[in-house]
Amino acid sequence: MDARVEKLAEQHGRSPSDVWVELERTGQMQALESEILEEKVFEHLRSRNTITQG
């Protein structure tokens, strides 16, 4: 979560603490957490995929 907030801060030229406050203020923190979890699930599934195409 911290790494994602730092990346967002860098992209928008803001401090990580400002981004944290904005995410909490606008109610987007939960959406960001869900997005990160979804990415981790897909990464896990891809890493376990043993089917080869060809």
Side-chain angles (χ1 to χ4, degrees), residues 10 25 27 31 40 42 45-46:
E10 185 178 311
R25 186 183 68 77
K40 288 182 181 278
F42 282 125
L45 292 174
R46 279 193 296 265

Side-chain angles (χ1 to χ4, degrees), residues 4-18:
R4 181 63 64 89
V5 170
E6 288 176 14
K7 184 178 178 181
L8 287 169
E10 185 178 311
Q11 289 173 342
H12 296 282
R14 300 175 69 189
S15 72
S17 60
D18 286 345

